[in-house]
Amino acid sequence: MEHTPALEKKLIQFSGIKPTGSLTLGSYLGAIKNWTELCEEYESFFCVVDMHSITIRVDPALLRRNAMEQLAYYIACGLDPEACTLFIQSHVPAHAELSWVLGCYTMFGELSRMTQFKEKSAKNADNINGGLFTYPVLMAADILLYDTDVVPVGEDQRQHVELCRDIANRFNGVYGETFKLPRAILPKVGARIMSLTEPDHKMSKSDDRDPGSVLLKDPDDVIMRKFKRAVTDCDSERCVRYDPENKKGVANLMSIYAAVTGKSFSEIEREFDGKGYGVFKPAVGEAVCGVLRPIREEAGRLLADRTYLDSVCAAGAEKAERASRRILSKVYKKVGFLPRPR
Ligand code: ATP
Ligand code: LTN
């Protein structure tokens, strides 16, 4: 009799981005680009984490628009809805349900130490709500519900993934093996893209009008203008050299150029040897335009086809719902919740 080898089970990747604004070059290079590269090797779940967005006040119509736009950009960046599960977090109730349970295994001290909580509460001093504080617990639920092995994120999310591991480990310690312990995967270059105008701050999407943030939806002329005006460093040599300590602005532009072209820092230094910032900055802009143009155009086409996007949402929610129920029931059973009689 012919022997069929068991199909090897792929490892699982999970990640998400909150629809708080328009996606930036930072979210693309720090996260989405890596997702697309890992898709072949991993079974993949990517979520639009809309529930995470309401920790700050947000206009409901804008949240809906951003969520749909973000889904379109996921696809436009190369995530194939047939090959991976793309879904909206609030469509899958298990996220909120597991989050409650995990919150009971997360310590006040742990949550108080989270850098993002400290930064966001300093920024929103008049609205330091419970959701902002327990944000990493919901994120841990997102990850653990899918038996995730790896979480591709930018540098700023590493601490949250480590907390997720600690929560999973604590739960396993009490109830026996329940969760896999996931780990963060960061890109080699581009894990922390800085603002073009303030190279001491991370490029961020919360303020759409920030000239230091390049948006995936920015047209070419806007991208070029942002790069031409990018802050370089007031050093006397004015040469393109990778020195993140003393030449932060140039190092950031070099990281962007390296991430979009695949060139190494020494290749970039040789390419611009003796050419100065006036040549370098527009070259980075051109390279970024080359990568973002097809993505922007594809997202535009997708956004004009709402029926298609709705069908992606519906299929994704169904697949995610099925996958997440399995772990949630296991957890409910372990903690001692009475099964619902049928
Ligand atoms: P917000 O401004 O609303 O807090 P954000 O721009 O910081 O948002 P997130 O939604 O927090 O973006 O991040 C989405 C993903 O992209 C995360 O994995 C994050 O680590 C990554 N990311 C975001 N900004 C950058 C950046 N500047 N450089 C590298 N990775 C980034
Ligand atoms: N907190 C993340 C978004 C996020 C996430 C996740 C990332 C929510 N749930 C699960 C990876 C896995 C952020 O980017 N600010």
Side-chain angles (χ1 to χ4, degrees):
M1 201 172 70
E2 206 175 306
H3 177 73
T4 331
L7 276 182
E8 213 171 293
K9 214 169 172 287
K10 282 185 173 179
L11 295 179
I12 297 170
Q13 65 162 328
F14 180 99
S15 200
I17 299 180
K18 53 189 183 314
T20 39
S22 297
L23 289 169
T24 69
L25 182 63
S27 12
Y28 177 70
L29 296 179
I32 305 175
K33 182 167 177 280
N34 224 357
W35 305 355
T36 60
E37 286 161 10
L38 296 168
C39 262
E40 201 148 301
E41 196 185 331
Y42 290 85
E43 182 180 348
S44 307
F45 293 86
F46 301 114
C47 188
V48 174
V49 290
D50 54 349
M51 289 160 67
H52 278 103
S53 300
I54 60 165
T55 55
I56 49 171
R57 290 282 168 268
V58 51
D59 173 58
L62 186 63
L63 178 58
R64 275 189 289 273
R65 198 169 76 220
N66 283 340
M68 195 48 93
E69 195 173 293
Q70 195 168 299
L71 183 79
Y73 269 93
Y74 280 6
I75 304 170
C77 287
L79 301 172
D80 174 2
E82 301 290 325
C84 43
T85 304
L86 305 181
F87 69 105
I88 311 281
Q89 186 187 33
S90 62
H91 291 174
V92 182
H95 291 247
E97 293 170 295
L98 182 63
S99 178
W100 170 257
V101 177
L102 295 182
C104 302
Y105 300 85
T106 310
M107 299 302 138
F108 181 88
E110 288 176 314
L111 292 173
S112 316
R113 283 192 291 277
M114 292 295 111
T115 310
Q116 185 174 299
F117 171 68
K118 290 192 251 180
E119 283 173 3
K120 298 260 167 185
S121 37
K123 254 198 204 162
N124 303 284
D126 55 346
N127 185 21
I128 307 177
N129 58 69
L132 196 64
F133 190 61
T134 56
Y135 178 109
V137 180
L138 178 58
M139 176 162 163
D142 296 341
I143 297 168
L144 298 177
L145 270 177
Y146 298 91
D147 241 352
T148 303
D149 295 281
V150 297
V151 188
V153 283
E155 169 63 44
D156 63 313
Q157 293 303 312
R158 190 205 289 268
Q159 193 186 35
H160 285 161
V161 180
E162 271 160 23
L163 176 62
C164 169
R165 265 179 92 86
D166 292 342
I167 300 171
N169 205 19
R170 182 171 301 129
F171 192 96
N172 288 350
V174 179
Y175 298 103
E177 270 321 286
T178 309
F179 298 122
K180 271 194 206 154
L181 302 185
R183 66 184 172 88
I185 296 197
L186 273 62
K188 282 195 195 73
V189 270
R192 189 168 174 82
I193 299 295
M194 310 309 280
S195 156
L196 298 189
T197 47
E198 296 170 279
D200 285 319
H201 292 101
K202 195 189 79 152
M203 184 183 286
S204 145
K205 70 169 142 48
S206 292
D207 182 1
D208 274 17
R209 285 150 313 180
D210 178 357
S213 290
V214 174
L215 308 182
L216 299 195
K217 69 177 185 192
D218 279 343
D220 285 2
D221 60 324
V222 173
I223 298 178
M224 288 307 291
R225 195 171 340 118
K226 286 180 176 174
F227 275 99
K228 283 183 188 156
R229 291 189 188 157
V231 169
T232 33
D233 309 276
C234 350
D235 54 334
S236 51
E237 55 174 24
R238 297 191 60 78
C239 75
V240 177
R241 186 168 53 79
Y242 189 71
D243 179 356
E245 284 283 302
N246 303 305
K247 290 158 72 91
K248 287 199 177 86
V250 173
N252 187 40
L253 292 173
M254 285 180 78
S255 299
I256 294 173
Y257 194 64
V260 295
T261 61
K263 292 177 185 168
S264 69
F265 292 136
S266 51
E267 280 171 324
I268 299 171
E269 285 171 356
R270 276 198 302 279
E271 183 178 346
F272 293 97
D273 189 22
K275 293 200 177 129
Y277 302 152
V279 176
F280 177 53
K281 291 200 282 184
V284 183
E286 293 286 356
V288 169
C289 286
V291 171
L292 297 193
R293 194 179 307 123
I295 295 178
R296 184 175 67 239
E297 289 170 358
E298 179 61 10
R301 279 190 287 278
L302 290 162
L303 282 162
D305 189 352
R306 182 61 192 247
T307 314
Y308 171 70
L309 291 176
D310 281 343
S311 74
V312 171
C313 270
E318 205 178 303
K319 280 198 269 176
E321 169 92 56
R322 216 175 315 122
S324 59
R325 279 289 146 202
R326 201 179 58 78
I327 299 261
L328 187 72
S329 333
K330 189 155 113 180
V331 168
Y332 272 23
K333 206 164 152 187
K334 293 222 175 190
V335 298
F337 292 163
L338 197 61
R340 179 169 156 182
R342 304 206 167 269

